[in-house]
Amino acid sequence: MDRIARIEPFPIHYPDPNDFNTIRRTVLVRVETDHGVVGWGECIAMWPEACKAVALVISEGLLPLLQGEPPQEIEANWVRMRRHVWWYGEGGIASLAISGIDMALWDIAGKIAGKPLYDLLGGLKQDRLLANASSHVNKKGEAACVAEVVGFFEAGFRSCKLGFAKKGESNIGGDPDTDVSFIRALRSALGDEAGILVDIGNGVRWDADTAISVANRMQALGIGWYEEPLYPTDDAGYRRLRANTSVRIASGEREFTEAGYRRQMEFVQAIDIYGVDPARVEGVTGFRRVDALATRFGKGMNAHAWSTAITTAASLHLSLASPNTEIFEYKPFGVVVQDDLVAEKLWHKEGWAYPIHAPGLGIEVQEAVVKRLAMP
């Protein structure tokens, strides 16, 4: 039986064209068994100090805990990690560290079994998902922003998710009239059938009345969902929003744990679609637990896949093994951590996201690229 021999964190940085080449950061995790089986995971820590802290938790806390343990005993290893970090761990840095290791252990388990990750998760619940171009609205002027999104559909995408108030030259994001005008122009350009999802985003600070007004104006333009128009912990605001609009509301991207999502579903009762990132929510295991809650409460799931191809691969397996997903997000711009980090880029086919059938995550990480992107 294989045993965990090495766990190595790799903090990396890279320019993101979608953020006007702003430097983004994350931590990759390489786990190797004593028989040489290698698995990869990711911790989407984002900030330089957070990446360094995650790497420290992995190297000095979780490696000594897991070294010598069987990698296929994923649930036991996940519980072992969570119990170890009990004093500092219900969310935050510890959850990020657990995420990367857990993802890598699932990758190893699939490789040892000779099965793709979705098989280990109970098999495919969906054969394919709509491919969504997930982008930030950041070009200068409404016309340029509309033309960019039209280009995504011309390139084969069947849906788009648009983040407002991001870095760049656009004034879209924060002013209700400007934002509604953009969606109106985009709907006119794309026609009635195109899927448009709106992510109001962290850069906007609206009160509940404004969020309600914009929701109803955008609903009349046929948006598919309305994501995080209020701060994620504004429970009272989200309840008011839910009571005063019938547009679907999305949130949850900034939760870390199963317990956080359970609180949202049981007590807030305002969200329809939950964004979940396996590189943040304590890995594949954490995602599966949230997905089970979504099934129980009749909620939708949307896998966050915004960082590297490692998380994209995990998110794709998880999405297709879930009965609660309807789209799959891709970055519509070239970026090194999607294009070069793995031997074969993960991409849609004629506007659909299809399963990866190779064992484990089904990707071949290029270790030379990992080293080239290493944070100083």
Side-chain angles (χ1 to χ4, degrees):
M1 176 182 288
D2 285 73
R3 302 279 175 174
I4 296 169
R6 282 173 288 280
I7 302 176
E8 300 173 272
F10 293 94
I12 65 168
H13 63 159
Y14 59 95
D16 191 335
N18 192 53
D19 256 357
F20 270 58
N21 285 322
T22 297
I23 298 299
R24 298 177 74 91
R25 300 169 183 84
T26 190
V27 179
L28 307 183
V29 180
R30 183 185 188 275
V31 179
E32 185 174 357
T33 75
D34 55 356
H35 291 165
V37 183
V38 172
W40 285 90
E42 181 176 355
C43 324
I44 186 166
M46 296 279 284
W47 276 261
E49 69 277 16
C51 290
K52 291 174 183 177
V54 164
L56 186 67
V57 169
I58 290 171
S59 297
E60 297 195 13
L62 301 181
L63 167 59
L65 184 76
L66 297 179
Q67 201 163 32
E69 298 293 336
Q72 301 101 311
E73 294 182 5
I74 293 172
E75 182 74 16
N77 287 322
W78 187 84
V79 169
R80 188 176 286 113
M81 288 189 285
R82 292 200 89 247
R83 287 179 176 171
H84 177 78
V85 304
W86 68 275
W87 185 255
Y88 61 90
E90 189 66 29
I93 298 299
S95 290
L96 294 170
I98 290 169
S99 296
I101 294 174
D102 180 82
M103 195 184 297
L105 294 181
W106 279 99
D107 190 21
I108 287 172
K111 289 173 178 175
I112 291 174
K115 295 180 179 180
L117 175 58
Y118 67 75
D119 262 354
L120 303 186
L121 303 175
L124 296 172
K125 299 296 188 297
Q126 308 190 63
D127 295 328
R128 62 182 187 175
L129 291 167
L130 285 171
N132 177 279
S134 182
S135 70
H136 293 170
V137 181
N138 55 22
K139 301 303 183 288
K140 188 173 183 179
E142 181 181 276
C145 293
V146 169
E148 181 174 71
V149 179
V150 169
F152 300 153
F153 283 82
E154 291 173 347
F157 284 98
R158 297 171 181 265
S159 172
C160 64
K161 191 178 101 169
L162 307 172
F164 289 8
K166 304 297 184 181
K167 296 179 180 70
E169 300 173 331
S170 175
N171 65 342
I172 295 166
D175 176 67
D177 291 339
T178 300
D179 298 349
V180 173
S181 174
F182 167 62
I183 296 300
R184 182 180 297 111
L186 185 59
R187 177 56 73 198
S188 177
L190 291 175
D192 294 338
E193 300 302 318
I196 301 174
L197 312 176
V198 176
D199 179 3
I200 298 300
N202 187 50
V204 176
R205 292 291 184 268
W206 284 342
D207 58 21
D209 288 337
T210 304
I212 290 165
S213 172
V214 174
N216 289 324
R217 293 166 71 186
M218 287 189 177
Q219 183 182 19
L221 298 169
I223 64 169
W225 74 56
Y226 185 57
E227 187 167 331
E228 291 195 348
L230 300 170
Y231 196 74
T233 55
D234 183 1
D235 296 345
Y238 273 107
R239 289 191 184 103
R240 281 194 60 209
L241 177 61
R242 174 71 290 149
N244 287 282
T245 184
S246 56
V247 71
R248 293 192 300 171
I249 301 168
S251 188
E253 197 173 280
R254 283 181 270 179
E255 292 286 356
F256 283 99
T257 65
E258 175 191 7
Y261 285 96
R262 186 187 301 113
R263 187 192 74 83
Q264 286 274 339
M265 294 184 198
E266 287 184 346
F267 300 114
V268 183
Q269 299 181 351
I271 307 304
D272 303 291
I273 307 292
Y274 284 91
V276 188
D277 191 328
R280 176 184 175 93
V281 71
E282 300 181 336
V284 171
T285 300
F287 188 107
R288 293 182 78 204
R289 287 168 172 256
V290 177
D291 195 30
L293 287 174
T295 297
R296 175 182 163 194
F297 287 95
K299 302 297 183 180
M301 292 275 287
N302 182 47
H304 200 237
W306 188 248
S307 47
T308 80
I310 295 172
T311 292
T312 297
S315 292
L316 182 55
H317 284 283
L318 285 159
S319 295
L320 289 163
S322 167
N324 303 311
T325 54
E326 59 190 67
I327 64 159
F328 189 74
E329 297 183 38
Y330 293 94
K331 284 188 177 185
F333 305 98
V335 59
V336 62
V337 293
Q338 291 285 337
D339 297 358
D340 300 338
L341 182 64
V342 292
E344 184 176 350
K345 180 178 179 177
L346 303 174
W347 200 237
H348 69 92
K349 296 181 179 67
E350 298 180 348
W352 295 98
Y354 288 97
I356 311 167
H357 298 300
L361 293 179
I363 54 175
E364 184 181 339
V365 173
Q366 305 298 289
E367 298 197 22
V369 176
V370 175
K371 293 176 183 176
R372 174 160 58 88
L373 298 177
M375 281 175 53

